Amino acid sequence: VEKYFFDTPETATTVDISTFIEGGLLKMVSTLSVTKESFICAPRRLIHENEVEIKSDYFAQIVDIDIYLEGDKTQELPNMVDYPVRSIENAIKYIHNLREIGINSVVIRLGGNPFIKNQEGYRYEPLLVRTNSEKIHENDETIYQLLLDHAEAIRRIRSVFPTEKLHITGDPFGVAVNSDGKWGVPDQNGGIDRDSTAKLIREVAIQYGKAGVNAILTMGRLEGEVGITKKALKDNGLDAVKIESFSSNIESRSAYTYLDDIKKDTGQKILPGNLTEMKMRILMDIYEGTDSVIIKPMDHLHLIESTVNFLKNKYNVIDFLTSDSVRKYLQNNERISDKITDILKNIDKFHYKCQNVKVGTYSVSGTYFMHKLVEFQRGSSYAFNIIDELYKNIVSIGKGYIGNLMDRNAEWYLKNLKKYQN
């Protein structure tokens, strides 16, 4: 029965049931001759089937690649059991294996440092943010050379897997991460040069797009990054390349578990617990043109639900953007205020744009570490159940809007699905 609730009656008012059922479908209701006593101690479960089914095509396996690692090789990452860094050659073999179990989407995180490839020991830089990575970013020339090397690596992978065979999301984090954890072109004072970084974001979109990615991740670190990426793609005839945005990216201390130590606050990402800002950023990224909001970490179920509710109903957007909590953020921030004002003035246009937006998720390295720790302590069956329940909740909340579930554990989960699903 599809129910439509109208005016709420006063407390303690008796209302005929036809008030709440469209068309007054009392005929069906009258056939229900259930006594109150028959419900006592009855099982609370209403149905015995899952609302959702977890399918392989929901997943995107995250793959870390050192583009300067030669041959068919892997290297271990600290605290990342069964998740190595791969050479390009090894990554191509690995992707073949992923496709055999039904995973046809990958997120490639490209790293490596050309200045240290012949040194003793192994360090996965610049994703392992250490002092030596400063040499990569000592000037624009070395940053752009690194970007060109990224693009060439993408071309090598794409030459093996045509677009219709493999969906590739490119994560440009490794292009310009600095030793203090900030992302962008550094200035002379230890900060980030805004104009140079905006230029770099444009060039990332162009180089990654021309190299053959299906989608580019924006990192949720810099003002206007989605809009900059969108314009760069459009201006260069790359409209088919989608934008997947870390819109609610937080300054998490549970990420980057492979680092020697946890970096200090970068000042670029949202502080944990600042839910109002997270929701605002989601809406502003949609406004700027993202195709998929990626909730990171993936266990932020409340944000998945909030995003879906925004996409479903424009009045949820209006209620939130006109709330007192949002008004506090708009004080002395003219640029953000202008964007939100434009959303509200053109809410039907914004809502139309929402109909094409998906909601995906991303599992950070800290989540992977915790799941592997559970597997070590309690066994693979117990770990599977935790991950399976998380996936089912995500897909159930995002039903109709779900995008990719980006996870380092995607392959492991699907390989164990038949074994543990019952």
Side-chain angles (χ1 to χ4, degrees):
V1 177
E2 187 174 10
K3 297 182 179 180
Y4 289 87
F5 289 82
F6 304 114
D7 294 335
T8 304
E10 296 179 5
T11 304
T13 302
T14 301
V15 182
D16 187 272
I17 196 169
S18 62
T19 306
F20 299 104
I21 302 178
E22 185 184 23
L25 298 180
L26 294 177
K27 186 174 182 179
M28 184 179 75
V29 175
S30 65
T31 64
L32 301 177
S33 56
V34 183
T35 63
K36 186 163 56 177
E37 288 75 13
S38 67
F39 283 106
I40 295 176
C41 293
R44 287 179 63 87
R45 183 189 297 176
L46 299 179
I47 62 172
H48 295 275
E49 300 82 27
N50 288 314
E51 286 187 9
V52 296
E53 178 185 359
I54 305 302
K55 303 175 182 178
S56 60
D57 55 6
Y58 286 146
F59 292 102
Q61 174 69 44
I62 304 171
V63 186
D64 277 79
I65 302 173
D66 184 338
I67 61 177
Y68 302 108
L69 188 60
E70 298 174 349
D72 179 8
K73 294 181 181 177
T74 62
Q75 292 284 356
E76 290 185 3
L77 267 178
N79 301 314
M80 299 292 284
V81 177
D82 297 331
Y83 184 83
V85 178
R86 303 177 184 276
S87 66
I88 298 173
E89 184 178 336
N90 181 269
I92 289 171
K93 290 176 62 176
Y94 179 61
I95 293 170
H96 278 298
N97 294 336
L98 293 176
R99 284 177 41 75
E100 288 180 2
I101 63 171
I103 297 178
N104 297 303
S105 182
V106 293
V107 179
I108 53 175
R109 303 176 76 242
L110 304 175
N113 187 333
F115 297 108
I116 64 170
K117 66 178 180 178
N118 295 320
Q119 294 180 10
E120 283 191 23
Y122 180 77
R123 290 189 295 256
Y124 181 39
E125 296 200 31
L127 292 186
L128 279 179
V129 189
R130 305 178 189 224
T131 305
N132 284 352
S133 65
E134 285 293 346
K135 190 171 183 182
I136 286 185
H137 301 131
E138 60 188 7
N139 56 56
D140 283 6
E141 182 179 347
T142 53
I143 290 177
Y144 279 93
Q145 183 56 55
L146 185 64
L147 173 57
L148 293 176
D149 291 346
H150 276 217
E152 181 57 33
I154 295 168
R155 287 190 185 92
R156 281 185 61 184
I157 296 171
R158 179 55 80 201
S159 68
V160 179
F161 303 100
T163 301
E164 64 273 12
K165 299 292 185 181
L166 182 70
H167 183 283
I168 298 176
T169 295
D171 181 351
F173 179 65
V175 173
V177 59
N178 295 271
S179 60
D180 59 1
K182 293 185 177 73
W183 195 95
V185 181
D187 60 22
Q188 300 300 316
N189 302 313
I192 297 298
D193 186 304
R194 296 181 183 183
D195 291 340
S196 297
T197 300
K199 178 183 175 183
L200 177 61
I201 292 172
R202 284 192 290 270
E203 196 61 26
V204 165
I206 296 167
Q207 293 298 330
Y208 271 47
K210 288 183 176 180
V213 298
N214 300 92
I216 297 173
L217 276 172
T218 58
M219 292 164 292
R221 287 170 169 263
L222 300 160
E223 186 66 52
E225 60 189 19
V226 170
I228 295 169
T229 301
K230 191 78 170 181
K231 187 175 187 305
L233 293 173
K234 184 177 180 180
D235 290 348
N236 288 272
L238 298 167
D239 303 73
V241 178
K242 303 297 184 182
I243 298 174
E244 300 178 323
S245 56
F246 288 151
S247 304
S248 57
N249 199 7
I250 62 170
E251 204 75 58
S252 174
R253 297 299 178 94
S254 65
Y256 311 116
T257 188
Y258 45 77
L259 292 176
D260 287 342
D261 55 11
I262 301 299
K263 295 298 173 182
K264 62 182 180 181
D265 188 343
T266 66
Q268 292 185 321
K269 297 180 286 184
I270 302 169
L271 293 176
N274 286 2
L275 185 60
T276 299
E277 186 175 358
M278 296 177 204
K279 292 180 180 180
M280 288 173 64
R281 286 300 178 185
I282 288 168
L283 291 173
M284 282 186 281
D285 279 357
I286 295 171
Y287 172 79
E288 290 184 15
T290 191
D291 297 287
S292 184
V293 173
I294 306 299
I295 302 300
K296 172 188 178 185
M298 71 181 345
D299 56 2
H300 283 191
L301 303 180
H302 55 295
L303 281 176
I304 300 172
E305 184 169 37
S306 293
T307 305
V308 169
N309 287 337
F310 287 149
L311 299 178
K312 282 182 177 180
N313 193 329
K314 65 183 179 182
Y315 295 108
N316 292 328
V317 176
I318 295 170
D319 288 346
F320 172 69
L321 291 182
T322 56
S323 66
D324 291 339
S325 58
V326 170
R327 289 195 186 99
K328 293 178 182 178
Y329 277 87
L330 302 184
Q331 295 174 1
N332 303 318
N333 199 325
E334 185 176 349
R335 182 170 181 174
I336 303 300
S337 181
D338 287 346
K339 289 181 181 179
I340 288 178
T341 299
D342 196 37
I343 291 173
L344 291 171
K345 284 185 176 180
N346 299 281
I347 190 63
D348 288 329
K349 180 180 178 181
F350 180 79
H351 181 63
Y352 178 78
K353 182 183 289 188
C354 287
Q355 304 316 298
N356 297 313
V357 175
K358 296 294 185 181
V359 184
T361 60
Y362 185 97
S363 179
V364 298
S365 59
T367 303
Y368 178 85
F369 170 76
M370 292 301 293
H371 287 161
K372 285 300 175 185
L373 190 62
V374 169
E375 182 184 5
F376 177 77
Q377 292 286 346
R378 290 294 308 272
S380 56
S381 175
Y382 195 85
F384 177 88
N385 291 335
I386 290 175
I387 297 170
D388 182 60
E389 289 171 17
L390 176 60
Y391 288 158
K392 284 175 180 173
N393 284 327
I394 290 170
V395 174
S396 182
I397 295 168
K399 192 186 299 182
Y401 295 88
I402 199 69
N404 278 331
L405 309 183
M406 303 175 179
D407 198 349
R408 293 169 173 85
N409 258 325
E411 176 199 23
W412 180 90
Y413 174 84
L414 287 175
K415 283 185 173 180
N416 285 282
L417 183 59
K418 289 184 179 180
K419 182 178 182 182
Y420 295 124
Q421 65 181 345
N422 294 322

